[in-house]
Amino acid sequence: MEHFSVGVVGTGYVGLATGACLAYVGHRVTCLDNDLERVASLREGRIPFYEPGLEELMARSAGRLRFAGSERLAEVAGEADVLFVAVGTPQGGDGSADLSNVAEVARAIGRSLGGSTPREFPLVVVNKSTVPVGSAYYVSTLVGDGIDEAGGEGAEFRVASNPEFLREGSAVHDSLFPDRVVVGTDSKEALDVLRTLYTPIVEQSFPTEWDPRPKVAVPFVTTDLASAEMIKYAANAFLATKISFINEVANLCELVGADVSEVAYGVGLDDRVGSRFLSAGLGWGGSCFPKDVAALRATAREYEHETPLLDAAAAVNERQRKQVISKLQRDLHTLKGKRVALLGLSFKPNTDDLRGAPSLTIASALNSLGARVIGYDPVAGKAAAQLAPDIQAVFDPYEALRGAHAAVVVTEWEEIRGLDPSRAASLMREPKLIVDGRNALDAAASQEAGLLYRGFGRGYDRG
Ligand code: NAD
């Protein structure tokens, strides 16, 4: 197999998983970041965030995986066949994606190319960050500007879009065993390079000790730039809408006396629907769904086009978070002086990521209503306390429950699913209310243990 020299700019969840995975399957990879503390920690084999299995994958790829500060971009770009851009694209003030990191990197790549000796083959610049349709063209222009700035002539490059679909918490698995690899480009050279680069993953021909499943070839989807960029947004918008859909149904279930867990099970068995992403509760959050839905709506606005379905998905989601507060108010009445435990703070289980985490908005709403908020999370407690002064972080779930009038299940970590309801009831103060924002607990067992259980659309919601 042909092995490439690869650069990856950005060592977050996506860049690091991509770099470690490509090194693991045989390529020589240098990951770059402008956060030098992060680079120093990576050089010691430590990742600066929580992602199960990623340190192990890095260790297994050690001989082929290096880390460097961004100031070494020119050197890395000079040697690389492929350069991935995997920097953050946070939500801008108007909802659109903030492309300033991508733009900065694109210009710097151009300056590196312009200042170097002529190349035998063009550098393939790959956008892995989630960027709005048209960004590949924008990147291409900025790389060109950088080349001009450096006074370079004939520095050749090609641009491709290769959106990422990994999920935090299972980034290693998703990088090695993806559902699909999508490449958008108008360059045959770029497509050939990326097809070869991904061959070990597409053919599942790399050695693996930890996944005994039969190897199934991964679809390699080739398309134009705009479609590749749109695939990413459409995928996330669909998943977010699916959750909002079941939340809409959950709200109706509460009115008519049905149990949304039963309904979702019955609906999800239809393989046209599928059972995943049909869990009702306090809605979606995180570093991707909210910003990607907002960016897609912002793109539509640029064309003066309306997106009623996406608007509704976002509105339903916002309402779900507010429902946590109204469910607390219904049983606690005034929240002033009440002690409320938040169980789980990260935006979902198996990650420490707090970006767009419902816990933060719920804590701030509770705080403004005079409640005292105690938070527990297996990995994100310390970071949450630093980020949100509204939350007093403790490091044991039962400690959070001690003396609490109410608890909200915000993130369904296994440990929180497995809470002992009797122990919880013995520690809590009347009315011992549990608002289960993820429908994760055993409702009947909780009631029997003396907790006042309220789920979302489950029939345990009426007093
Ligand atoms: P992240 O915030 O975890 O990491 C981004 C990294 O880029 C950081 O280490 C930061 O220091 C570095 N960086 C920023 N600007 C830089 C610059 N100018 N030069 C060098 N380094 C720079 O981000 P992430 O979660 O890995 O996401 C990266 C992109 O991938 C985003 O566009 C995101 O939407 C997309 N994405 C994320 C996920 C996910 O689950 N996190 C999944 C799919 C796609």
Side-chain angles (χ1 to χ4, degrees), residues 158 185-194:
R158 304 286 181 266
T185 184
D186 50 17
S187 154
K188 184 174 175 324
E189 287 149 299
L191 182 58
D192 289 346
V193 167
L194 290 174

Side-chain angles (χ1 to χ4, degrees), residues 15-268:
L16 201 52
T18 302
C21 167
L22 291 174
Y24 179 71
V25 303
H27 303 293
R28 292 180 312 284
V29 180
T30 305
C31 293
L32 299 153
D33 207 289
N34 62 0
D35 178 342
L36 299 183
E37 254 180 60
R38 180 166 281 222
V39 172
S41 147
L42 290 168
R43 282 201 178 126
E44 287 167 12
R46 282 183 293 108
I47 62 170
F49 48 85
Y50 178 81
E51 185 56 50
L54 188 50
E55 274 183 8
E56 191 193 336
L57 188 71
M58 278 166 50
R60 284 171 190 266
S61 324
R64 292 183 297 275
L65 183 60
R66 292 184 303 164
F67 299 98
S70 298
E71 73 284 354
R72 289 187 45 207
L73 177 64
E75 187 190 321
V76 173
E79 285 171 6
D81 304 295
V82 184
L83 198 52
F84 283 92
V85 179
V87 295
T89 49
Q91 188 171 327
D94 60 353
S96 65
D98 175 349
L99 294 182
S100 51
N101 293 329
V102 171
E104 188 185 322
V105 173
R107 259 199 212 94
I109 293 172
R111 285 194 299 272
S112 306
L113 285 174
S116 65
T117 48
R119 302 173 56 91
E120 199 180 338
F121 300 104
L123 174 68
V124 181
V125 178
V126 186
N127 236 334
K128 201 165 237 324
S129 298
T130 302
V131 287
V133 175
S135 299
Y137 185 77
Y138 179 52
V139 163
S140 189
T141 308
L142 293 173
V143 174
D145 290 350
I147 292 175
D148 291 345
E149 259 175 62
E153 278 177 25
E156 287 218 55
F157 68 98
R158 304 286 181 266
V159 173
S161 163
N162 172 219
E164 181 53 59
F165 302 96
L166 66 75
R167 297 158 299 173
E168 288 173 23
S170 54
V172 170
H173 175 276
D174 296 348
S175 302
L176 288 171
F177 311 101
D179 291 337
R180 74 291 210 193
V181 173
V182 173
V183 172
T185 184
D186 50 17
S187 154
K188 184 174 175 324
E189 287 149 299
L191 182 58
D192 289 346
V193 167
L194 290 174
R195 195 190 290 280
T196 310
L197 181 88
Y198 276 115
T199 294
I201 291 166
V202 166
E203 293 181 356
Q204 293 284 292
S205 55
F206 55 88
T208 169
E209 300 83 286
W210 64 72
D211 197 292
R213 288 174 311 171
K215 295 184 180 237
V216 178
V218 172
F220 186 77
V221 179
T222 60
T223 182
D224 58 277
L225 285 161
S227 302
E229 290 168 336
M230 186 54 109
I231 285 170
K232 175 64 193 172
Y233 281 102
N236 274 0
F238 180 80
L239 293 171
T241 304
K242 196 172 176 191
I243 297 172
S244 284
F245 174 81
I246 200 65
N247 278 331
E248 183 103 300
V249 172
N251 294 334
L252 290 170
C253 284
E254 276 187 29
L255 293 174
V256 302
D259 182 336
V260 73
S261 307
E262 304 287 318
V263 173
Y265 177 66
V267 172

Side-chain angles (χ1 to χ4, degrees), residues 170-451:
S170 54
V172 170
H173 175 276
D174 296 348
S175 302
L176 288 171
F177 311 101
D179 291 337
R180 74 291 210 193
V181 173
V182 173
V183 172
T185 184
D186 50 17
S187 154
K188 184 174 175 324
E189 287 149 299
L191 182 58
D192 289 346
V193 167
L194 290 174
R195 195 190 290 280
T196 310
L197 181 88
Y198 276 115
T199 294
I201 291 166
V202 166
E203 293 181 356
Q204 293 284 292
S205 55
F206 55 88
T208 169
E209 300 83 286
W210 64 72
D211 197 292
R213 288 174 311 171
K215 295 184 180 237
V216 178
V218 172
F220 186 77
V221 179
T222 60
T223 182
D224 58 277
L225 285 161
S227 302
E229 290 168 336
M230 186 54 109
I231 285 170
K232 175 64 193 172
Y233 281 102
N236 274 0
F238 180 80
L239 293 171
T241 304
K242 196 172 176 191
I243 297 172
S244 284
F245 174 81
I246 200 65
N247 278 331
E248 183 103 300
V249 172
N251 294 334
L252 290 170
C253 284
E254 276 187 29
L255 293 174
V256 302
D259 182 336
V260 73
S261 307
E262 304 287 318
V263 173
Y265 177 66
V267 172
L269 285 172
D270 184 330
D271 63 11
R272 293 170 303 175
V273 178
S275 59
R276 295 167 74 191
F277 281 74
L278 277 187
S279 299
L282 56 79
W284 35 274
S287 65
C288 291
F289 285 7
K291 83 169 171 65
D292 293 350
V293 170
L296 194 52
R297 293 167 71 202
T299 297
R301 282 199 300 276
E302 280 178 26
Y303 293 82
E304 296 186 8
H305 179 75
E306 291 181 2
T307 51
L309 186 60
L310 297 180
D311 300 351
V316 167
N317 201 51
E318 221 168 282
R319 193 171 65 177
Q320 292 308 109
R321 290 192 191 187
K322 288 190 185 139
Q323 274 197 42
V324 172
I325 308 297
S326 39
K327 281 177 191 281
L328 288 167
Q329 283 172 326
R330 198 173 56 183
D331 290 305
L332 297 183
H333 306 295
T334 176
L335 294 179
K336 227 179 247 1
K338 299 281 163 59
R339 199 176 155 101
V340 180
L342 298 186
L343 300 176
L345 301 170
S346 58
F347 87 89
K348 67 172 186 178
N350 298 320
T351 182
D352 58 355
D353 200 345
L354 286 159
R355 291 177 287 184
S359 61
L360 302 181
T361 39
I362 293 169
S364 139
L366 286 173
N367 206 264
S368 65
L369 291 167
R372 177 139 178 238
V373 182
I374 322 296
Y376 166 74
D377 190 279
V379 297
K382 217 163 157 188
Q386 279 166 0
L387 204 65
D390 300 327
I391 300 175
Q392 182 197 329
V394 294
F395 297 94
D396 179 280
Y398 296 101
E399 194 49 43
L401 291 169
R402 189 183 300 281
H405 298 88
V408 181
V409 175
V410 183
T411 317
E412 67 280 31
W413 287 89
E414 272 314 308
E415 181 186 349
I416 289 167
R417 282 183 184 279
L419 276 185
D420 173 354
S422 305
R423 189 165 167 208
S426 72
L427 290 166
M428 289 178 75
R429 212 180 289 187
E430 292 293 339
K432 306 185 184 203
L433 170 65
I434 299 276
V435 174
D436 187 353
R438 300 298 180 184
N439 285 349
L441 304 184
D442 182 333
S446 301
Q447 297 270 82
E448 273 162 33
L451 297 167

